Amino acid sequence: MKRVLALLGILCLLAVPVRAEALAVEAESCILMEKATGQVLYAENEHEQLEPASVTKIMTLLLVMEAIDSGSLSYDDTVTASAYACSMGGSQIWLKENEQMTVRDMLKAVCVASANDCSVALAEHVAGSAEAFVERMNQRAAELGMNDTHFVNPTGLPAEGHVTSAYDIALMSRELILNHPDIRQFTTIWMDTLRDGAFTLSNTNRLVRYYEGTTGLKTGSTDAAGYCLSATAERDGMELIAVILKAPTSDQRFSGAQALLNYGFSLYTLVDVTPEQVLPALPVTLGSPDFVQPVLGEGSELLLEKTVAADLSQQVLLPESLKAPIQAGEELGQLLVTSGGETVAAIPIVAGEAVERLGYGQILVNFLKTAFLMEPFHG
């Protein structure tokens, strides 16, 4: 099974090469990643450690959304602003000490207006203190394989040693939008209000307004970090993540992200492969039951160049029979996907259920039934 999955990964990489030609991206670092597969479609200096500014807040949002989805936090919970949260400066909604606001409204303020005060207030509410929350941020980053990253705060305000990379930002962005799509209710807002309409919010990500299919995600800028952005957009069922770090101007971060997204949407498509015919049940020697139903395993979503996807063929590779025992999920064969005579994917076909091996007593009974055509005795 591991061998086939490794082969599948290699084939996918061959089918989706990281392009060598340069795009119109004026930034120190950038990357384009597809959400469902995690495949990288384009990258420049993607592992260079740079300051992310408020793009940091993607990790803050991820931890808050994980708390909500786990049931330990609710959108309607009330958060009380501490003096420390109110002291953040930078982008903010000017919380007053002891002011209370729901988690929902604070998330809206973070996603739309990049509110530093709300980011810290949420962090304190979730973990007890900003410091404890930062520990969780770094722990989660390690779990996601964000090896270029070290967080110092939940806001992205300038701090010594607070660094990440375009690749790592793509990883945490993918985790957020893949497993917590409810975040879109905030990241797709262009304008809204808080405090019963008294405070107006306007999204710092202007792609939300003018780029078709935009789903988020987060901007950031400081003098040291330059202009940064993790932009997500979806078209025809495929969602892409474009990360820009250290662009010289705000316009260049948006134009760079748009160039990356346009590149991905114009050349690639996401194909959900299903067998052209129903997979046949296979007989199982000495099995109970005496057959097993094959099903398609993981890896059936393929990211392919559109020219490749236009000419796909399939070949099912399965044995004529099997021997018990068989474990549920055990690999039985492969579905080969080809284009132009070249294999682009080998998707495992696995057992849909377990099949136990017959005991000796049952084997003997079955043998006797077969040998003597046993019939009920009628007297």
Side-chain angles (χ1 to χ4, degrees), residues 285-313:
T285 303
L286 302 179
S288 176
D290 57 3
F291 65 89
V292 65
Q293 179 60 53
V295 296
L296 204 59
E298 295 181 358
S300 61
E301 260 191 320
L302 304 179
L303 183 65
L304 302 171
E305 292 190 49
K306 290 182 177 180
T307 54
V308 173
D311 183 31
L312 293 182
S313 300

Side-chain angles (χ1 to χ4, degrees), residues 16-27 29-34 38-46 166-167 170 240-244 256 259-261 263-264 267-268 303:
V16 186
V18 177
R19 294 287 178 169
E21 66 264 26
L23 297 178
V25 179
E26 298 180 77
S29 174
C30 70
I31 195 170
L32 178 67
M33 179 181 287
E34 192 278 321
Q39 291 292 326
V40 175
L41 304 182
Y42 186 91
E44 293 181 10
N45 303 324
E46 68 272 24
Y167 180 80
L240 300 178
I241 304 159
V243 179
I244 301 289
L260 288 170
L261 293 170
Y263 170 82
L267 290 182
Y268 295 95
L303 183 65

Side-chain angles (χ1 to χ4, degrees), residues 35-368:
K35 178 189 74 174
T37 63
Q39 291 292 326
V40 175
L41 304 182
Y42 186 91
E44 293 181 10
N45 303 324
E46 68 272 24
H47 288 289
E48 183 176 352
Q49 287 187 308
L50 296 167
E51 294 183 41
S54 284
V55 178
T56 296
K57 295 184 177 81
I58 293 172
M59 180 59 80
T60 301
L61 294 171
L62 174 60
L63 293 183
V64 173
M65 291 303 296
E66 287 179 340
I68 291 172
D69 289 345
S70 72
S72 63
L73 186 67
S74 167
Y75 284 124
D76 296 323
D77 286 352
T78 299
V79 180
T80 302
S82 68
Y84 178 66
C86 298
S87 72
M88 286 298 104
S91 300
Q92 58 183 311
I93 63 166
W94 289 278
L95 287 172
K96 302 297 184 184
E97 185 176 356
N98 295 320
E99 181 178 357
Q100 293 187 324
M101 191 172 285
T102 64
V103 169
R104 183 185 304 277
D105 281 349
M106 285 204 172
L107 275 173
K108 185 191 299 183
V110 174
C111 291
V112 179
S114 195
N116 293 318
D117 43 7
C118 289
S119 295
V120 173
L122 284 168
E124 292 175 332
H125 188 79
V126 168
S129 70
E131 292 78 13
F133 189 82
V134 170
E135 289 183 12
R136 293 192 189 183
M137 292 173 71
N138 285 312
Q139 179 181 352
R140 195 71 182 94
E143 292 169 353
L144 293 174
M146 296 170 59
N147 299 323
D148 307 320
T149 297
H150 180 255
F151 294 118
V152 176
N153 59 55
T155 62
L157 286 167
E160 184 69 27
H162 188 95
V163 293
T164 186
S165 67
Y167 180 80
D168 284 4
I169 289 171
L171 288 181
M172 66 176 177
S173 299
R174 177 177 183 249
E175 182 69 16
L176 178 60
I177 64 175
L178 179 64
N179 294 314
H180 309 281
D182 205 33
I183 195 67
R184 286 188 183 192
Q185 67 176 297
F186 306 110
T187 58
T188 56
I189 293 171
W190 173 238
M191 295 191 73
D192 209 329
T193 62
L194 292 173
R195 301 184 177 113
D196 297 322
F199 189 88
T200 300
L201 301 174
S202 180
N203 204 318
T204 58
N205 179 11
R206 70 187 195 202
L207 294 182
V208 169
R209 185 175 184 182
Y210 71 77
Y211 190 80
E212 179 188 351
T214 296
T215 56
L217 191 59
K218 192 70 199 71
T219 61
S221 64
T222 65
D223 290 343
Y227 291 88
C228 308
L229 173 66
S230 179
T232 57
E234 182 176 18
R235 293 181 185 174
D236 299 323
M238 180 176 71
E239 192 164 10
L240 300 178
I241 304 159
V243 179
I244 301 289
L245 287 183
K246 206 167 187 178
T249 68
S250 180
D251 285 347
Q252 286 170 324
R253 70 175 162 185
F254 291 120
S255 63
Q258 186 170 341
L260 288 170
L261 293 170
N262 286 344
Y263 170 82
F265 286 128
S266 66
L267 290 182
Y268 295 95
T269 187
L270 197 61
V271 179
D272 191 5
V273 175
T274 56
E276 295 171 345
Q277 298 180 345
V278 176
L279 296 174
L282 300 177
V284 181
T285 303
L286 302 179
S288 176
D290 57 3
F291 65 89
V292 65
Q293 179 60 53
V295 296
L296 204 59
E298 295 181 358
S300 61
E301 260 191 320
L302 304 179
L303 183 65
L304 302 171
E305 292 190 49
K306 290 182 177 180
T307 54
V308 173
D311 183 31
L312 293 182
S313 300
Q314 297 181 8
Q315 181 182 6
V316 175
L317 301 178
L318 284 172
E320 293 183 359
S321 63
L322 299 159
K323 292 182 179 180
I326 297 172
Q327 302 297 319
E330 181 178 334
E331 182 191 333
L332 306 179
Q334 297 176 349
L335 177 66
L336 292 184
V337 182
T338 61
S339 178
E342 298 293 330
T343 301
V344 296
I347 304 172
I349 298 175
V350 302
E353 63 281 322
V355 178
E356 297 181 0
R357 182 179 175 87
L358 290 174
Y360 289 113
Q362 189 61 50
I363 292 174
L364 179 60
V365 169
N366 289 352
F367 172 76
L368 292 174

